[in-house]
Amino acid sequence: MTSDIKRTIVVTGGSRGIGRAICAAFASPNTCIYFNFSSSQATGEETAAQVSAAGGIPRPLRVNVASEKEVLDFFKTIVDETGRIDVLVNNAGITRDNLLLRIKDKDWDDVLEVNLKGAFHCTREAAKTMVRQRSGRIINITSIAGVAGNPGQANYAASKAGLIGFTKAVARELSSRNITVNAIAPGFIETGMTLKLPEKTRAGIISQIPLGRAGAPEDVANLAVFLASEAAGYITGQVIHVNGGMYI
Ligand code: NAP
């Protein structure tokens, strides 16, 4: 496969939602899109179909980003098959919302393990190849909650704020190797994560958004594609908001 591939993109949590839109937005001929997911419910078939329709090569794999071993195997497969990694998007994320006094240790740990440690595992592996290549783009999907906080999301907000500090530190470390590292902070985006909220809560949130609507996954994907492009080569260590004015 190696000789035909011009670009290798890795997207964590690509089976649905924002990750699916990111995979589709990057898809083009001679581009291999590796994406993962952890459950057996959504196996990424729809994502793979969208990538193929745009001429890209989809490579869906079941990988729990919280597992160091699974992540090591994932990146070994990628490098063995394509010999390169051009873009890593750390998108996989979960919520276990509850008020502070009710958050169980397991709910705290699970959120931190997937949202923050998962990004660490994947970035560490991708960086080995990017440093050797002397090029690469790393994009971390954080959240408005990591910047502004949100009641009922202390665990999630802590993980996303941690991801911002991680982004800035790694941006400084890898800049001399021509690798940029940025974070995208979405606001309220229509995906499974937000559709599970009660309709009244959703309507209340949307009424607070200056642009008057929830975001689409494509609103986030468009920015990811830009940050990975040549045109964004002088942008690193930044947190860029996609939120319809929800946080200004
Ligand atoms: P989603 O629809 O729930 O999709 C989450 C994706 O992550 C799925 O593909 C899921 O697949 C995968 N995933 C979850 N745990 C994983 C694990 N341990 N290992 C590998 N993959 C895993 O969520 P979304 O709304 O698209 O959110 C995507 C990212 O954007 C998340 O980081 C989220 O925090 C962030 N974000 C979302 C919003 C929003 O309004 N939707 C706002 C701000 C930030 P499996 O379930 O199969 O594992």
Side-chain angles (χ1 to χ4, degrees):
M1 192 198 278
T2 308
S3 59
D4 299 336
I5 302 300
K6 293 210 178 90
R7 218 166 171 226
T8 300
I9 315 291
V10 183
V11 181
T12 70
S15 59
R16 51 198 163 86
I18 293 170
R20 177 187 291 167
I22 292 173
C23 291
F26 273 106
S28 62
N30 297 322
T31 299
C32 203
I33 314 273
Y34 286 82
F35 64 92
N36 65 39
F37 47 89
S38 68
S39 75
S40 52
Q41 284 133 25
T43 54
E45 281 165 32
E46 176 56 30
T47 306
Q50 290 186 15
V51 168
S52 297
I57 304 154
R59 293 285 285 123
L61 290 163
R62 182 169 290 118
V63 176
N64 175 6
V65 295
S67 160
E68 181 185 20
K69 163 91 174 65
E70 290 185 29
V71 170
L72 288 178
D73 291 347
F74 179 51
F75 280 90
K76 183 172 183 317
T77 301
I78 296 167
V79 175
D80 285 352
E81 289 182 356
T82 73
R84 56 183 305 111
I85 299 173
D86 297 281
V87 180
L88 166 67
V89 184
N90 284 308
N91 165 80
I94 59 169
T95 51
R96 297 285 182 270
D97 295 354
N98 219 330
L99 295 171
L100 172 67
L101 299 188
R102 293 188 189 144
I103 296 179
K104 304 262 182 291
D105 273 31
K106 179 158 175 26
D107 292 336
W108 177 272
D109 291 343
D110 285 353
V111 169
L112 270 288
E113 288 277 318
V114 174
N115 297 6
L116 188 53
K117 200 170 189 182
F120 156 63
H121 286 152
C122 295
T123 303
R124 185 175 57 185
E125 289 318 300
K128 290 175 187 166
T129 299
M130 290 178 177
V131 164
R132 214 167 37 244
Q133 284 168 186
R134 297 200 168 251
S135 69
R137 299 291 165 88
I138 297 170
I139 299 163
N140 296 323
I141 308 298
T142 177
S143 169
I144 188 173
V147 180
N150 198 26
Q153 291 199 309
N155 48 359
Y156 181 77
S159 73
K160 294 299 187 178
L163 196 52
I164 291 173
F166 178 73
T167 300
K168 293 181 180 185
V170 178
R172 288 183 186 275
E173 253 186 66
L174 298 182
S175 56
S176 64
R177 298 295 191 275
N178 189 33
I179 299 165
T180 67
V181 189
N182 290 290
I184 298 177
F188 190 74
I189 311 295
E190 294 277 9
T191 70
M193 189 177 270
T194 49
L195 284 169
K196 70 186 176 194
L197 295 171
E199 189 46 44
K200 207 174 153 202
T201 309
R202 287 168 40 78
I205 295 170
I206 291 169
S207 73
Q208 301 297 313
I209 300 173
L211 283 179
R213 66 169 176 90
E218 291 72 22
D219 292 321
V220 179
N222 291 339
L223 177 58
V225 169
F226 172 70
L227 287 173
S229 72
E230 285 298 316
Y234 199 55
I235 302 173
T236 197
Q238 303 305 307
V239 181
I240 304 173
H241 294 264
V242 179
N243 62 24
M246 205 176 164
Y247 175 83
I248 293 178

